[in-house]
Amino acid sequence: MRSSRRHPLLVPVLLCALAVLAARPGDGDGGAPAADASARVARLYQDAAVAARQYDAGRQEADAQQVRAQRVEGRLDRERREIARLHEELGRIARAQYRGGGGVPMAARIILADSPEDLMRDQHVFSQADLAVGNAIGRSHRAEKRLASDRAKAASAWRNLERRNAELADLKQGIQRRLEEARGQLQGQADASVAAGSCRGAVRLDQPPTRDTAPWVAPVETIELSAGFGSGGSRWANRHTGQDFAVPIGTPVRAAGAGRVVRVSCGGAFGIAIVVEHPGGYYTQYAHLAAVAVDQGDRVTTGQWIGQSGTTGNSTGPHLHFEVRVTPDMGSAVDPLPWLAQRGVPTG
């Protein structure tokens, strides 16, 4: 029973790649056979994960761009203040020139000068004032140009980013919509199999690139815990014998460790379920599945996709029921979370 519990700007190549994902053939064939439904869900699950990562990267870049825009605005504010200061400086120089006789003609200055040295000194002062005025005007014009350029660049970058993120969001939503449709078909086929008491055989899924080198892993990649070991409730005769992981229908279920499949069952409280025997005398069970990707007797490796989650059997919603046992049968379960933690697998 389930209970609730900086990057460069994205380039058009990414959009083309995601468009290819969104347009894969066969994703919308409602009459596909059971094996195709499992494979389609697995493929769309991976496509949705890629699209989600790219969209998240786009949103992170948007946040980074917002920070950069704020920095530009800060610089613009400083430039505005500098322009105001320059204008004030121009006024000050002009006033100083006026008070110092800046308007007196050169001939009058020569007549009124007490000595040639005074005349040269006055001429130097006026030349320096004129130079200061010219420099201040030049700085003011350059600052105004930078102001306009920075504002235009920031606005253009933001528009491009928002457009790309909108395209990514549309692609992501399209893939997610097809995934939800495929999940519904997959669960419907699983329910029909359980009702008939005859589960279909294993659907061999394309395995993801091997990334796990540890001997043990969590049974699902994204961990969201729901009902725990020993929980009470009306759905169980005694106590909950495993740990539930809240995941959508069709989520790949991984072998927690290397071992051999000793049981694939269909029907009863656990619905479609798999039991794997591991070296050292422990067994793991994966229940309420929508599909299996292994047959009894198969050898499995750590992290191998052995099935897809669902909501078959005694289940009120999509999740994986994971058990650790000392025998392949009910009644010998131990708490999965401490067992995984002892093997270096974080679950919280």
Side-chain angles (χ1 to χ4, degrees):
M1 170 177 160
R2 176 183 174 186
S3 61
S4 58
R5 243 194 61 139
R6 194 144 5 205
H7 307 280
L9 288 178
L10 299 174
V11 296
V13 173
L14 281 178
L15 300 175
C16 293
L18 286 179
V20 170
L21 294 180
R24 283 187 175 183
D27 289 348
D29 297 337
D36 287 351
S38 290
R40 190 167 67 258
V41 169
R43 184 173 64 248
L44 284 167
Y45 179 90
Q46 292 180 296
D47 290 352
V50 171
R53 285 195 296 271
Q54 299 298 350
Y55 177 75
D56 290 343
R59 296 318 307 169
Q60 290 173 8
E61 175 59 21
D63 293 341
Q65 179 63 31
Q66 183 66 29
V67 172
R68 289 194 292 271
Q70 291 171 350
R71 290 174 181 168
V72 168
E73 282 300 321
R75 187 164 65 249
L76 297 184
D77 287 340
R78 290 192 296 273
E79 289 174 348
R80 291 187 189 101
R81 289 194 296 271
E82 177 65 9
I83 289 173
R85 187 189 68 77
L86 290 174
H87 281 295
E88 176 61 26
E89 183 178 344
L90 289 175
R92 181 183 60 77
I93 292 172
R95 290 191 297 271
Q97 279 189 299
Y98 179 80
R99 288 194 299 269
V104 179
M106 180 57 65
R109 295 181 198 172
I110 294 174
I111 295 172
L112 296 174
D114 293 334
S115 66
E117 291 77 11
D118 290 341
L119 176 62
M120 295 297 295
R121 185 170 54 254
D122 290 344
Q123 183 62 32
H124 177 71
V125 169
F126 291 130
S127 297
Q128 289 298 105
D130 288 340
L131 180 62
V133 170
N135 288 340
I137 292 173
R139 288 198 303 271
S140 177
H141 288 168
R142 289 192 296 272
E144 288 173 347
K145 287 180 180 179
R146 286 197 305 271
L147 179 70
S149 175
D150 286 344
R151 182 184 291 114
K153 287 178 182 178
S156 176
W158 184 255
R159 285 194 301 270
N160 290 338
L161 184 61
E162 285 298 291
R163 185 184 67 253
R164 289 167 180 161
N165 283 343
E167 292 170 349
L168 285 170
D170 289 342
L171 288 171
K172 178 188 173 201
Q173 290 172 2
I175 294 172
Q176 191 66 35
R177 184 170 56 253
R178 287 195 298 280
L179 177 57
E180 289 301 321
E181 294 170 357
R183 281 170 170 162
Q185 182 187 11
L186 178 63
Q187 184 61 45
Q189 293 171 347
D191 291 338
S193 296
V194 171
S198 176
C199 285
R200 55 193 173 94
V203 176
R204 304 299 176 177
L205 301 175
D206 293 333
Q207 296 293 322
T210 302
R211 291 179 296 175
D212 298 306
T213 57
W216 299 94
V217 297
V220 288
E221 187 170 357
T222 302
I223 297 174
E224 182 180 345
L225 303 177
S226 52
F229 181 80
S231 302
S234 59
R235 303 291 296 183
W236 309 300
N238 295 298
R239 291 284 177 176
H240 195 223
T241 55
Q243 174 63 55
D244 288 351
F245 293 84
V247 289
I249 293 169
T251 300
V253 173
R254 311 187 294 187
R260 183 174 64 92
V261 178
V262 296
R263 183 179 300 158
V264 177
S265 58
C266 176
F270 289 120
I272 300 175
I274 299 169
V275 177
V276 176
E277 179 184 14
H278 304 281
Y282 285 100
Y283 298 79
T284 53
Q285 185 202 41
Y286 312 80
H288 304 310
L289 303 177
V292 297
V294 292
D295 288 317
Q296 187 168 316
D298 285 353
R299 291 281 176 180
V300 297
T301 59
T302 302
Q304 178 180 333
W305 286 0
I306 60 175
Q308 292 165 284
S309 63
T311 182
T312 55
N314 187 8
S315 171
T316 59
H319 69 286
L320 170 69
H321 174 88
F322 176 70
E323 285 194 17
V324 177
R325 301 171 176 171
V326 295
T327 75
D329 303 312
M330 289 182 60
S332 61
V334 299
D335 192 340
L337 295 188
W339 187 87
L340 287 171
Q342 290 169 6
R343 287 154 180 79
V345 180
T347 55

